[in-house]
Amino acid sequence: MAGRALPLVLTPPKGRKKPPRHLADLSLAERQDEAKRMGLPGFRAKQLSVHYFGHLVDDPEQMTDLPAAQRADLVDGFLPSLMTPMRTLEADRGTTRKTLWKLFDGALVESVLMRYPDRVTMCVSSQAGCGMACPFCATGQGGLQRNMSTAEIVEQVVAGARSLQRGEVPGGPGRVSNVVFMGMGEPMANYAAVIGAVRRLTDPAPEGLGMSARGITVSTVGLVPRIKQLTEEGIPVTLALSLHAPDDELRNELVPINTRFSVAETVEAAWNYARVTKRRVSIEYAMMRGINDQAWRADLLGDVLNSYGDWGWVHVNLIPLNPTPGSKWTASDPADEREFVRRLEAKGIPTTVRDTRGQEIDGACGQLAALEA
Ligand code: SAH
């Protein structure tokens, strides 16, 4: 402040700071109010909602029940373009599709569609980048660019739903049954927008997509106050806690936020979530060779989890590490992985090993965006 006058208005170099407001950011009542503010009848907002959430229409030409003059205003006001696909990579004969999106300000995020015989899961991003700095995660290396808006999060799911509806994914027309917040970003660090997105995904059409909350998984490094808040929210989503180590010494290194919230505090918050919501919590554990995959750590993990009771409140999902370029970590030896599973199961902890879909298309969190940037 060496006596120099500051400009009166501090504007970013170009463009706007916030993503444009979109239908999916608003509840149905808010959309109706907004339509009236635009000088249009409130019911037009509902008609537009039927197109967007009910029929997944994105071409205004198809909205023939809207008078042409009002259609342009409605589309301008409610359906601004939020994201452009930059690249789509396919694996598993087209049943795994990863899309790199460019947001309005140039930020890059990824989403992945995974079709299984009995379900379709969309893995979505909640932030461009991530501030949690986990050293084994590609997204963590680039830091946080910005939070995504509710509509930017929802639009990833809607885009996947559209491609399924149009039969673009092998297996015939289908629907999105599951959404996991396991793409880029820490959902609990963008709490309001993420809860907004969960509401929009679960609100019955035409207010939202009408999905079951049980099909939605919010994955977190363990921001304890936010886990507590989610516990009170009354939305029965599945909580996944990225633990990766049962002891503070190692977890401080692998998940740096652990220096703020210890393993004990974090696991207790997750246990309380299970207790209150009756939803079984998932403990995510990326298996890293020689780092966190020792038999004694499996025993310790089992003991830590069982110290909150063995009433089936938790299961462990082991994730084979997807090595990021230049990182010193690699995936565990299959024999060590089997022993880890055996020891957890011996302690009564249901344990699964995540399939490694899409590894050849840089399936792991943030790798595609990191490559592009
Ligand atoms: N920030 C949230 C959600 C995004 S990551 C979270 O941390 O839970 C989703 C999961 O992928 C997390 O468990 C994360 O630790 C894990 N992950 C990140 N990079 C990985 C990698 N290279 N290999 C395997 N799992 C990884």
Side-chain angles (χ1 to χ4, degrees):
M1 299 292 113
R4 229 176 356 120
L6 283 168
L8 277 177
V9 188
L10 291 163
T11 44
K14 60 173 186 164
R16 50 222 289 195
K17 281 198 308 236
K18 282 177 136 195
R21 192 216 41 208
H22 185 279
L23 186 85
D25 288 311
L26 308 173
S27 68
L28 188 55
E30 289 167 340
R31 291 169 213 164
Q32 285 162 339
D33 290 346
E34 189 56 29
K36 287 179 202 147
R37 217 189 48 80
M38 291 161 65
L40 300 167
F43 66 86
R44 295 288 182 219
K46 188 159 180 185
Q47 286 176 298
L48 196 67
S49 301
V50 171
H51 285 301
Y52 183 80
F53 283 113
H55 304 320
L56 310 173
V57 166
D58 57 355
D59 178 7
E61 297 292 311
Q62 288 176 33
M63 304 177 182
T64 48
D65 57 337
L66 301 174
Q70 291 183 16
R71 201 187 303 166
D73 287 347
L74 284 162
V75 170
D76 286 353
F78 287 107
L79 299 176
S81 166
L82 294 175
M83 49 216 278
T84 317
M86 301 290 289
R87 284 166 78 186
T88 299
L89 300 183
E90 292 186 358
D92 309 306
R93 298 164 189 260
T95 57
T96 301
R97 291 161 55 110
K98 175 161 179 160
T99 309
L100 177 70
W101 301 98
K102 188 181 218 156
L103 306 182
F104 83 100
D105 56 353
L108 298 172
V109 299
E110 304 169 0
S111 64
V112 188
L113 181 154
M114 289 161 285
R115 184 169 210 168
Y116 302 89
D118 59 333
R119 64 186 194 280
V120 179
T121 300
M122 284 291 310
C123 176
V124 298
S125 296
S126 57
Q127 297 181 310
C130 184
M132 296 297 121
C134 303
F136 58 90
C137 172
T139 308
Q141 308 320 295
L144 175 67
Q145 277 109 62
R146 69 165 169 88
N147 281 334
M148 293 175 74
S149 67
T150 288
E152 285 173 327
I153 297 169
V154 170
E155 179 78 354
Q156 297 169 73
V157 180
V158 169
R162 278 185 192 128
S163 52
L164 281 162
Q165 184 191 50
R166 291 171 185 167
E168 290 165 14
V169 184
R175 299 172 63 86
V176 177
S177 53
N178 298 73
V179 171
V180 296
F181 285 83
M182 294 189 184
M184 299 171 77
E186 167 49 45
M188 294 284 155
N190 184 18
Y191 189 84
V194 165
I195 294 300
V198 169
R199 293 206 186 283
R200 219 61 351 113
L201 297 177
T202 55
D203 288 338
E207 184 153 20
L209 273 182
M211 293 182 57
S212 161
R214 285 157 198 281
I216 298 176
T217 299
V218 176
S219 180
T220 178
V221 291
L223 301 184
V224 168
R226 294 292 157 264
I227 294 177
K228 290 181 177 161
Q229 199 173 344
L230 186 68
T231 308
E232 304 303 315
E233 208 73 56
I235 322 174
V237 294
T238 299
L239 179 70
L241 172 62
S242 297
L243 199 62
H244 305 316
D247 53 303
D248 286 318
E249 190 183 357
L250 180 58
R251 194 167 192 267
N252 284 345
E253 188 191 335
L254 297 181
V255 186
I257 197 72
N258 195 73
T259 55
R260 283 264 297 283
F261 308 108
S262 68
V263 169
E265 280 176 277
T266 307
V267 174
E268 178 168 333
W271 162 78
N272 194 51
Y273 184 84
R275 191 184 62 80
V276 172
T277 63
K278 308 278 187 290
R279 301 286 300 147
R280 189 160 82 165
V281 164
S282 179
I283 299 288
E284 309 288 302
Y285 200 101
M287 293 288 282
M288 304 175 209
R289 182 179 300 209
I291 304 285
N292 65 352
D293 62 353
Q294 305 85 351
W296 70 266
R297 277 205 164 89
D299 291 340
L300 181 59
L301 176 60
D303 292 342
V304 167
L305 299 179
N306 278 336
S307 70
Y308 296 91
D310 58 358
W311 46 277
W313 69 275
V314 68
H315 85 279
V316 171
N317 190 217
L318 300 178
I319 316 172
L321 186 80
N322 195 344
T324 59
S327 99
K328 59 175 178 169
W329 292 285
T330 56
S332 295
D333 191 303
D336 294 335
E337 191 178 273
R338 280 195 299 274
E339 180 63 9
F340 207 91
V341 173
R342 199 190 63 73
R343 289 193 177 231
L344 285 170
E345 285 179 342
K347 289 191 183 282
I349 311 276
T351 304
T352 49
V353 179
R354 185 196 284 177
D355 72 4
T356 48
R357 270 208 179 200
Q359 211 156 44
E360 66 276 32
I361 55 169
D362 293 325
C365 182
Q367 292 191 16
L368 193 57
L371 218 66
E372 196 78 11

